[in-house]
Amino acid sequence: MKTWRLDAGAQTLVFACDDGLARVVYWGAELPETEDLAQIAASARNDLTGGMMDVLAPLSLSPDQGFAGQAGLVLTDALGAPLEPRFAFDRAEISPNSIAFHARAEGLRLTHVIKAQPTGVFTLQTLLEADAPLRVQWLAAPVLPAPQLADHMIDVAGRWIGEFRLQSVPWSAGIRLREARTGRSGHEHPPYVLLPELGCSKTAGRAFGLHYAWSGGHRMLAEELPDGRRQVQFGHASGSERAAGTRFASAVLIAAYSDSGLGGIGAAFQRDIRDRVVQWPDPARPRPVHYNCWEAIYFNHSLADLSAIATRAADLGAERFVLDDGWFGRRDDDTTSLGDWVMDRRKWPEGLAPLIAHVKSLGMSFGLWFEPEMVNPDSDLYRAHPDWRLGPADQVTGRNQMVLDMARPEVRSYLFDAISAILAEYDIDYIKWDHNRLLPVVDAGQALGSYALLDALRAAHPNVEIESCASGGGRIDAGILARTHRVWLSDSNDALERLRMQHDAALFLPSAITGSHVGPRHCHTSGRVLPMGFRAWVAAARHMGFEMDPRELTEPEAAELRAITAWYKQNRAWMMAGVILPLDSADPAVVAEMQLAADGSRFVVFAGQAEASEQILPRPLRLAGLEPAARYQLCLRNPQDRPPQSRGPNALKTGALTLSGAALMSAGITLPVAWPATMWVVEAIRL
């Protein structure tokens, strides 16, 4: 029996191997350096009883055909005949922070690469090589055991303007299978799962988390065998490897462990995305306040209107102006011109230079919208190259568009040249990269082609930031974020919807990459009219921006927005470098979180009143992540937002409070009475 260990942050993986494939025999809290790994492996051995085979097939990193549950590798030869290889251990390549397990079968080589990242997570990837072409039906990333002391798992569902909805699903005998076959990581099933143990909350208890770093369709299965063992597998959507080949790879699976609740998993994923996955053009640059013109003008571009809007946006505090859809081809609506990435001279007779000059004179940088992977049938590109589409000619369109086949080098070459020409002609530091249609087929080559185009553009234009948008949050994962710098969480600018979405997405995403905008007074996706203070504070809790016609604002609204934007600028450096800790709220009407500085010296609590509470008075809100013996001074930033009915002696309304971390985490704070659509903002410093 051979054994190995890796440590990442506060977690340890222990592996064991006899003659076949290596397996995980321990995943959890960091073990002592002196731990006897052979004893760990021995302690994981199972007994046998009636009705079982005489040898219990192991739950290996790629469970094979002898395993009683779902296999981690399903292959056929090039003609479709099933292959059932039996892999034998070959060797382990060891470095201080990684292990690569190599195994062989006849004509096949299987490698599992596990790395301990400095951000405190593990990354795991499966690689397959073959002497002769074969077909892969299923290739799982290295398979991990799921916790036994658990009665449920949490995965993520959603829809357009309703992303990141957490689903609690009981563990039971059999399989929980979710498969995203839309060709994106998906609104409906982004590639994450949380595995809490019994008693785990947002702020306390043990939990495990997995994030599959892949932007194409994917598959997740969580299985409990009759013998009680549990496994979780992630891989590309089944059948998405459409061609025979000799080299295949899963995407990287990111694994996190926490003994401080689900919020600890969120903090680990946040740090990993921000500090390892995202490749910042200038890491020291503050996250600029955005202005995006989409919900102000849609396709109705004019230099005069956009110049006036830019002037007003800059006055409110915007630092980047983003021109959205409608500047190219003959793009008067969404039925035409995708793919024709040339200036619409009807709208822009002098090109974008006059607008950019005006934007720059106001102290803002300039960004531009593209949707490179798509094409309208009514476009010069499609008329010239109908064979460049992905899927059949008679397919149903989505948003009046088709998808370009990004696996084709000539398609990527055309798009690279067209986009580079715009970036070379104009002073542009930002691209909003959209993806508004589901794929007609699930094809891993599509995601790989899109990655290749993004990689080429990043290399040619290293100072340009890119935002990933896919009808809002339809493509948010570590695969796309390795090539981009911001995500558009949802097309909904409704601050009540955003409050919940941002809270749940913080279990996976850091503040620095999560775009959030102050929308129009009359929300375009819900019809709600919400107070400016609430809209602005919800946006200021992430990477802040505006997306309305700023000329609609009254002077009191403008003054409030200016003040909150100024607060964001004063605090963004430490907020973006810290972590978001979702809080357990005793009142389900309150959605609350802390943003804690990296050195623990300060924090801010955002407590949003989403609806009327069942009880008369606010319930205390317990905080998290503090030093028990330290003392913290707290003050309510916005006591002026209290309603007329708030008439009692609540301490935070009138002055500062000084409490220990132990008191704040045990008893909590008592907030004033609030109307729905109120965000209480409590600032604190460690004394």
Side-chain angles (χ1 to χ4, degrees):
M1 171 91 56
K2 306 173 188 70
T3 57
W4 306 263
R5 74 178 282 171
L6 272 180
D7 298 282
Q11 60 177 332
T12 295
L13 280 171
V14 178
F15 306 90
C17 185
D18 299 310
D19 298 320
L21 294 173
R23 62 190 183 275
V24 173
V25 294
Y26 175 88
W27 178 26
E30 184 179 16
L31 294 173
E33 290 184 11
T34 56
E35 191 74 54
D36 186 329
L37 302 186
Q39 289 293 291
I40 289 284
S43 72
R45 289 177 177 153
N46 286 282
D47 200 354
L48 295 173
T49 187
M52 300 180 71
M53 302 297 288
D54 293 336
V55 175
L56 185 67
L59 173 58
S60 71
L61 294 173
S62 286
D64 62 16
Q65 300 298 326
F67 181 65
Q70 295 297 298
L73 181 64
V74 180
L75 308 175
T76 71
D77 66 19
L79 299 178
L83 299 175
E84 297 184 357
R86 296 283 183 169
F87 286 96
F89 178 79
D90 181 12
R91 69 191 191 281
E93 289 183 65
I94 311 296
S95 77
N97 297 308
S98 68
I99 302 176
F101 295 106
H102 298 273
R104 289 180 176 272
E106 185 176 354
L108 299 173
R109 292 166 299 284
L110 188 65
T111 302
H112 299 105
V113 180
I114 298 92
K115 297 180 180 179
Q117 299 295 346
T119 51
V121 303
F122 290 112
T123 56
L124 307 95
Q125 187 175 29
T126 304
L127 311 171
L128 176 68
E129 295 179 295
D131 292 340
L134 53 75
R135 293 183 179 274
V136 169
Q137 301 300 315
W138 174 241
L139 177 64
V143 177
L144 294 171
Q148 289 288 312
L149 194 64
D151 61 1
H152 72 284
M153 68 193 85
I154 300 171
D155 58 26
V156 186
R159 56 172 173 79
W160 179 69
I161 67 169
E163 290 87 341
F164 278 89
R165 297 183 181 276
L166 302 184
Q167 299 188 132
S168 179
V169 182
W171 276 103
S172 61
I175 295 173
R176 166 69 170 172
L177 173 64
R178 300 199 66 197
E179 188 158 19
R181 302 194 63 81
T182 64
R184 306 187 296 197
S185 34
H187 293 84
E188 69 289 347
H189 177 38
Y192 316 105
V193 70
L194 302 172
L195 304 165
E197 292 193 346
L198 290 173
C200 180
S201 68
K202 292 175 183 175
T203 58
R206 290 164 45 102
F208 303 79
L210 298 172
H211 172 180
Y212 190 60
W214 177 243
S215 307
H218 65 278
R219 184 176 189 241
M220 182 208 84
L221 67 88
E223 181 179 31
E224 180 173 306
L225 276 68
D227 59 37
R229 289 180 295 171
R230 293 169 171 173
Q231 65 160 331
V232 179
Q233 296 187 12
F234 271 99
H236 298 0
S238 56
S240 61
E241 299 286 2
R242 299 173 66 83
T246 57
R247 294 176 62 88
F248 298 89
S250 76
V252 166
L253 181 66
I254 305 171
Y257 163 81
S258 164
D259 60 7
S260 57
L262 296 176
I265 296 291
F269 282 150
Q270 290 167 36
R271 293 188 189 100
D272 187 57
I273 291 289
R274 183 192 61 219
D275 299 339
R276 179 187 67 88
V277 174
V278 174
Q279 304 299 302
W280 301 100
D282 181 2
R285 181 183 182 182
R287 304 303 287 140
V289 177
H290 274 232
Y291 175 76
N292 184 291
C293 69
W294 177 241
E295 293 197 16
I297 60 163
Y298 294 102
F299 298 102
N300 300 318
H301 290 200
S302 80
L303 177 60
D305 281 342
L306 285 163
S307 296
I309 287 171
T311 299
R312 182 66 159 159
D315 173 66
L316 295 167
E319 298 165 304
R320 175 183 279 150
F321 184 98
V322 181
L323 183 65
D324 212 285
D325 194 355
W327 56 268
F328 55 92
R330 299 184 66 83
R331 184 76 164 171
D332 295 328
D333 55 36
D334 65 5
T335 66
T336 183
S337 298
L338 279 180
D340 299 340
W341 301 112
V342 293
M343 202 61 54
D344 184 347
R345 295 293 173 175
R346 301 170 306 150
K347 299 176 183 177
W348 300 102
E350 300 177 72
L352 295 177
L355 177 61
I356 294 175
H358 180 67
V359 165
K360 300 285 283 186
S361 75
L362 297 167
M364 294 188 290
S365 63
F366 187 81
L368 192 61
W369 182 95
F370 289 90
E371 193 171 2
E373 296 149 280
M374 302 294 162
V375 64
N376 286 121
D378 182 10
S379 67
D380 293 341
L381 179 66
Y382 190 80
R383 284 183 282 272
H385 298 285
D387 56 317
W388 284 7
R389 72 179 174 274
L390 181 69
D394 62 352
Q395 66 185 266
V396 176
T397 57
R399 202 177 182 240
N400 303 297
Q401 60 199 52
M402 293 186 177
V403 184
L404 291 170
D405 186 348
M406 299 299 293
R408 299 178 68 142
E410 63 271 30
V411 171
R412 298 196 301 272
S413 179
Y414 164 77
L415 291 170
F416 176 86
D417 290 345
I419 296 169
S420 284
I422 297 292
L423 297 179
E425 182 176 357
Y426 298 111
D427 186 1
I428 294 170
D429 79 338
Y430 189 82
I431 291 174
K432 180 180 176 182
W433 185 294
D434 218 335
H435 188 289
N436 280 308
R437 187 205 194 279
L438 307 181
L439 268 61
V441 296
V442 180
D443 186 349
Q446 185 73 12
L448 294 173
S450 296
Y451 287 172
L453 175 59
L454 283 160
D455 290 343
L457 286 167
R458 287 286 314 283
H461 307 278
N463 296 320
V464 175
E465 286 193 17
I466 302 175
E467 175 183 75
S468 174
C469 176
S471 295
R475 185 162 62 178
I476 298 178
D477 60 84
I480 203 71
L481 280 165
R483 296 155 175 92
T484 58
H485 312 92
R486 189 181 199 249
V487 295
W488 187 228
L489 190 64
S490 177
D491 279 346
S492 174
N493 277 322
D494 183 309
L496 276 174
E497 296 292 333
R498 279 275 180 159
L499 178 69
R500 192 237 2 119
M501 271 188 263
Q502 291 177 183
H503 182 78
D504 290 341
L507 294 173
F508 311 99
L509 305 176
S511 184
I513 63 100
T514 306
S516 186
H517 293 174
V518 182
R521 181 185 301 117
H522 189 276
C523 180
H524 293 192
T525 54
S526 70
R528 285 195 184 108
V529 176
L530 297 169
M532 171 54 74
F534 183 69
R535 287 148 57 200
W537 282 121
V538 169
R542 297 295 184 269
H543 183 195
M544 187 180 192
F546 318 144
E547 190 165 343
M548 86 293 270
D549 189 335
R551 298 170 297 181
E552 79 175 19
L553 300 182
T554 65
E555 192 46 47
E557 287 175 327
E560 190 168 17
L561 181 54
R562 280 191 207 98
I564 294 172
T565 303
W567 180 92
Y568 167 81
K569 292 179 180 180
Q570 292 163 3
N571 291 277
R572 61 185 163 188
W574 70 263
M575 286 172 59
M576 299 295 129
V579 293
I580 306 164
L581 298 178
L583 297 176
D584 294 306
S585 176
D587 184 349
V590 175
V591 178
E593 68 184 29
M594 289 174 57
Q595 296 203 23
L596 179 66
D599 63 2
S601 64
R602 61 194 305 175
F603 64 85
V604 60
V605 174
F606 292 103
Q609 186 80 31
E611 58 188 359
S613 298
E614 290 294 326
Q615 75 286 342
I616 295 173
L617 295 175
R619 298 185 189 276
L621 180 66
R622 294 199 301 188
L623 307 189
L626 303 178
E627 298 174 31
R631 290 166 60 79
Y632 298 87
Q633 185 178 79
L634 298 83
C635 65
L636 183 63
R637 176 74 189 188
N638 55 329
Q640 71 276 8
D641 289 343
R642 65 186 184 274
Q645 292 88 343
S646 175
R647 56 190 180 87
N650 178 268
L652 282 171
K653 292 194 300 186
T654 56
L657 281 173
T658 299
L659 295 165
S660 69
L664 291 167
M665 293 188 291
S666 296
I669 57 175
T670 301
L671 294 164
V673 168
W675 279 345
T678 298
M679 177 76 87
W680 290 130
V681 181
V682 180
E683 297 179 279
I685 58 171
R686 186 179 59 202
L687 299 176

